[in-house]
Amino acid sequence: MEIKFMVDTNVGKLAKWLRLMGYDALFFTGENDSGMIAIALAEGRVILTRDTQIMKRRIVTNGQLKAILIKSDKPGEQMRQVITTLNPNHQYRPFTICLECNQPLLESSKEQVRELVPPYVFQTQSQFMQCPSCHRIYWRGTHWQAMTKKLEKFMEG
Ligand SMILES: [Zn+2]
């Protein structure tokens, strides 16, 4: 089963990187830990946090809710800790989840995006994905390539 995440505000940068890898990673924006824990429990999400108090909660210590205490404050090391802990053989699937709103992307035909992307992009790219929620369009352009390169570096250490 695919692992889903609940990203605490104290490790917020992880949300984007996990989405880039193709993981469903919800970023917690609420006020209190109890709200975050309730959602994680209801949706079967693994909590990522730097908050030791969360790790001490009975629901976590008894194994009902999975949580990972993130050790480093550097995003690269944080990513490595998460992936090596949970899924060391993960094959990442970039281009599947919206980096902004965590929605699964849908494929768009070239014609559908003609008016929505810069002409150069339309001419040079053949595959487009769109977020059903924010309608942002993704393609494997230079920005995307730079991000995936950085991610690969993260994972190599
Ligand atoms: Zn979106």
Side-chain angles (χ1 to χ4, degrees), residues 98-103 105 130-136 138:
C98 179
L99 299 183
E100 301 303 325
C101 43
N102 199 41
Q103 290 293 315
L105 299 177
Q130 189 169 25
C131 172
S133 174
C134 70
H135 304 293
R136 193 185 156 118
Y138 290 86

Side-chain angles (χ1 to χ4, degrees), residues 57-115:
R57 293 204 178 211
R58 190 189 303 180
I59 199 166
V60 174
T61 56
N62 73 10
Q64 214 182 328
L65 177 67
K66 194 161 171 92
I68 297 178
L69 184 66
I70 302 295
K71 294 176 198 148
S72 174
D73 58 358
K74 298 191 184 78
E77 287 170 22
Q78 293 177 343
M79 282 297 289
R80 262 204 313 288
Q81 186 193 350
V82 174
I83 301 307
T84 53
T85 305
L86 290 176
N87 198 357
N89 301 316
H90 179 82
Q91 301 277 320
Y92 67 100
R93 300 177 302 151
F95 225 40
T96 52
I97 302 254
C98 179
L99 299 183
E100 301 303 325
C101 43
N102 199 41
Q103 290 293 315
L105 299 177
L106 303 173
E107 201 155 343
S108 284
S109 72
K110 229 178 140 144
E111 274 318 304
Q112 283 173 312
V113 302
R114 178 188 283 276
E115 307 293 328

